[in-house]
Amino acid sequence: MQVSVDTTSQIERRITVQVPAAEIDEAVNARLKDAAKNVRMDGFRRGRVPMSVIRQRYGSDVRNEVVGEVMRERYVRAISENELNPAGFPQIEPTVNETGKDLEFVATLEVYPEVELAPIEGAEVERPVVEVTEADVDEMIETLRKQNATRETVERAAEDGDQLTIDFQGFLGDEPFEGGSAEGHDLVIGSGSFIPGFEEQLVGAQAGEEKEIKVTFPEDYQAENLAGQEATFKVTVHAVKGQTLPEIDAEFVQKFGVEDGDLDKFRAEVKKNMSREASQAVDNRVKQQVLGALQKANTIPVPQALVQQETDGLKRQAAQQFGLGEDFDVSQLPNELFAEQAKSRVEVGLLLAEVIKSNALEASDDEIRARVQELAEQYQEPEQVVEHYMGNEQLKTQVKSAILEEKAVDVLLAQATVKDVEMSYQDALAAAQQQAEADEEEGSEEAGEERQA
């Protein structure tokens, strides 16, 4: 077997392989002889069909099978002997495939890029310092009360937080527009589920009242024909339902797993959960800043095969999120909706893998078990959860990857300039979300600039 490898780009290789004709012919002949033992054909006894007839009838198909198997086997041998690390599957095409001639085929593949990490020294990272106060706990308990509120019809003007049952129809000028009407719709004032300005104008409305509401659609509204347009909605209010909040008593507390109904235990549990959530928000915000700095400091080529794999994964997540069903064909979703996010994820993954490798980072079984135990605290029977995770290699690998990612972020964080910033619980959660959205938007803008360049 003769092999030559050409470098066609930083991450693309072109392998040309030649296999002696004698090897192919010998394999084809052996398979035809083996097949001849069981061939049944009119005019001949079983196993007595002449080889010339066997070759004429089956030779082409058998050769195609043999050539396909040989190309796959020799491709694997070629990448092993040349120490290539493929990213995804290759494209394999025979260039010479004739009886009596040496078989020649070409395999085109992407390989993982060789990464020489640049440090993120000089990058500035803000690290929120968050303390969950008793006032924060009070606010959270009030939120829990609202989530468990009951609603009853009231004979008064609507207030913020009330639920209204309404009919509405939207108009651009004098013409109704598609998708701008509904009947018997339940709307909670202050929920922010309608465009800005709509819900506020329903404060003070009463059952049986008809109102005319004027609003302006946001410039970035998803329906282009409505973006930035002034619209009028004719609204009929059928009912106003006010909230009745539950008392904070033993019965209320028991709904949240505090079986003895102890209010102090309940507050402690709420504060513990909030502290964990705040810690996760802080870690996430710091991580996003660190990973953003890592990407800015390191520009690497990204294998398209890996981007496509990640794109397919994002499609499946979207289908699940929107309840499209297990049988939904995700290929119907356009790649363009997910490609930039997928590329960024692959890029970060490759860079983090190099951080982990170059720093010889490891995650022991003890560390994995400890992390699983933290996760299991949220469940009623934590020990069963721990044993389930530790007995499932796929779940263990997921936890191990998360631990290694955190260690890699810590290594990078040591290179950056860190500034501690005091922040409230609510602000910390909002800042972490804003950081994630800003990084995603920046990644899309940078990708757009690359395409224009």
Side-chain angles (χ1 to χ4, degrees):
M1 180 179 78
Q2 295 182 359
V3 179
S4 63
V5 180
D6 296 320
T7 299
T8 52
S9 76
Q10 283 182 284
I11 57 174
E12 186 178 85
R13 302 293 182 268
R14 189 173 187 269
I15 304 175
T16 303
V17 180
Q18 289 183 334
V19 182
E23 290 188 28
I24 303 299
D25 294 341
E26 182 180 345
V28 170
N29 289 334
R31 191 162 298 186
L32 286 172
K33 288 179 181 179
D34 189 59
K37 298 175 184 178
N38 299 304
V39 169
R40 295 179 181 274
M41 192 174 294
D42 292 344
F44 300 96
R45 287 185 297 168
R46 179 178 178 180
R48 296 294 184 177
V49 181
M51 281 302 299
S52 59
V53 177
I54 296 291
R55 189 177 302 280
Q56 182 180 13
R57 179 71 65 88
Y58 302 108
S60 177
D61 290 340
V62 169
R63 180 179 176 86
N64 288 338
E65 289 179 6
V66 169
V67 167
E69 292 172 6
V70 168
M71 288 194 299
R72 289 190 291 272
E73 187 271 329
R74 299 305 167 90
Y75 164 75
V76 173
R77 187 191 301 183
I79 62 173
S80 176
E81 291 176 352
N82 289 275
E83 298 181 346
L84 299 176
N85 188 10
F89 295 104
Q91 291 182 339
I92 300 178
E93 295 290 340
T95 51
V96 178
N97 182 17
E98 299 178 26
T99 303
K101 292 185 178 181
D102 291 349
L103 171 67
E104 181 180 278
F105 68 89
V106 172
T108 304
L109 66 149
E110 291 179 305
V111 297
Y112 282 87
E114 295 182 4
V115 180
E116 294 184 7
L117 280 175
I120 65 169
E121 293 176 1
E124 296 183 357
V125 175
E126 286 191 354
R127 180 169 56 196
V129 178
V130 183
E131 178 185 358
V132 179
T133 66
E134 292 304 313
D136 292 327
V137 176
D138 290 338
E139 186 175 347
M140 178 58 70
I141 292 175
E142 190 65 17
T143 298
L144 295 175
R145 290 182 71 203
K146 291 178 180 179
Q147 291 174 352
N148 287 269
T150 57
R151 292 192 176 277
E152 296 179 359
T153 300
V154 293
E155 300 296 331
R156 59 167 172 75
E159 301 173 355
D160 188 41
D162 286 345
Q163 177 180 291
L164 275 61
T165 302
I166 59 174
D167 298 340
F168 63 86
Q169 184 168 24
F171 295 83
L172 294 178
D174 295 328
E175 295 296 323
F177 58 86
E178 184 178 355
S181 63
E183 294 182 355
H185 182 83
D186 289 332
L187 172 65
V188 176
I189 298 178
S191 64
S193 55
F194 273 40
I195 60 175
F198 187 99
E199 296 170 21
E200 292 85 343
Q201 296 180 58
L202 288 173
V203 172
Q206 299 191 44
E209 185 176 351
E210 296 182 356
K211 291 184 68 69
E212 192 170 278
I213 292 176
K214 296 184 181 297
V215 295
T216 301
F217 282 92
E219 293 292 341
D220 59 351
Y221 194 68
Q222 57 188 2
E224 294 182 2
N225 64 311
L226 298 177
Q229 296 285 332
E230 292 185 358
T232 300
F233 284 87
K234 294 182 179 180
V235 181
T236 300
V237 180
H238 292 293
V240 178
K241 295 182 179 180
Q243 283 185 331
T244 301
L245 299 179
E247 295 294 328
I248 305 176
D249 54 17
E251 182 180 355
F252 176 77
V253 168
Q254 287 168 348
K255 293 181 180 179
F256 298 92
V258 182
E259 295 181 359
D260 61 4
D262 186 279
L263 298 183
D264 290 336
K265 287 183 182 178
F266 172 62
R267 287 187 65 88
E269 190 64 27
V270 170
K271 188 171 185 177
K272 179 182 176 181
N273 291 336
M274 293 175 68
S275 297
R276 180 168 53 236
E277 189 176 17
S279 178
Q280 291 172 348
V282 169
D283 290 345
N284 185 59
R285 187 178 184 209
V286 169
K287 182 178 78 170
Q288 294 302 325
Q289 293 176 78
V290 168
L291 296 183
L294 181 64
Q295 285 182 284
K296 286 182 180 179
N298 295 273
T299 300
I300 62 172
V302 178
Q304 186 57 38
L306 299 183
V307 174
Q308 187 58 55
Q309 290 175 20
E310 189 67 32
T311 298
D312 292 341
L314 290 172
K315 286 182 178 181
R316 289 190 291 271
Q317 289 179 16
Q320 184 177 13
Q321 179 181 353
F322 291 105
L324 298 179
E326 295 182 359
D327 297 331
F328 177 76
D329 182 6
V330 296
S331 65
Q332 297 180 42
L333 300 174
N335 285 347
E336 293 76 14
L337 292 177
F338 309 93
E340 303 302 348
Q341 183 183 3
K343 181 177 181 247
S344 180
R345 284 191 176 191
V346 171
E347 189 175 53
V348 168
L350 293 172
L351 292 172
L352 281 176
E354 186 59 29
V355 174
I356 292 168
K357 176 184 175 183
S358 59
N359 290 276
L361 302 179
E362 295 288 347
S364 67
D365 274 0
D366 288 342
E367 289 176 306
I368 295 173
R369 179 176 287 275
R371 176 58 56 84
V372 172
Q373 287 173 336
E374 290 179 16
L375 297 172
E377 288 180 0
Q378 305 173 46
Y379 297 89
Q380 290 184 344
E381 299 182 0
E383 283 307 315
Q384 289 187 11
V385 175
V386 171
E387 294 310 314
H388 175 64
Y389 266 77
M390 297 305 292
N392 185 308
E393 286 301 319
Q394 184 176 358
L395 293 175
K396 277 182 65 177
T397 299
Q398 291 176 2
V399 176
K400 180 179 180 179
S401 297
I403 294 172
L404 289 175
E405 181 178 295
E406 290 177 8
K407 289 187 175 184
V409 169
D410 288 341
V411 168
L412 295 167
L413 190 61
Q415 301 172 7
T417 301
V418 182
K419 179 183 178 182
D420 288 338
V421 179
E422 291 190 5
M423 195 172 289
S424 70
Y425 168 78
Q426 294 293 347
D427 288 345
L429 266 58
Q433 180 62 33
Q434 290 172 2
Q435 181 71 47
E437 292 173 354
D439 288 343
E440 184 174 335
E441 181 178 348
E442 183 176 345
S444 298
E445 289 176 354
E446 290 178 353
E449 291 172 359
E450 289 176 7
R451 287 197 300 272
Q452 292 174 4

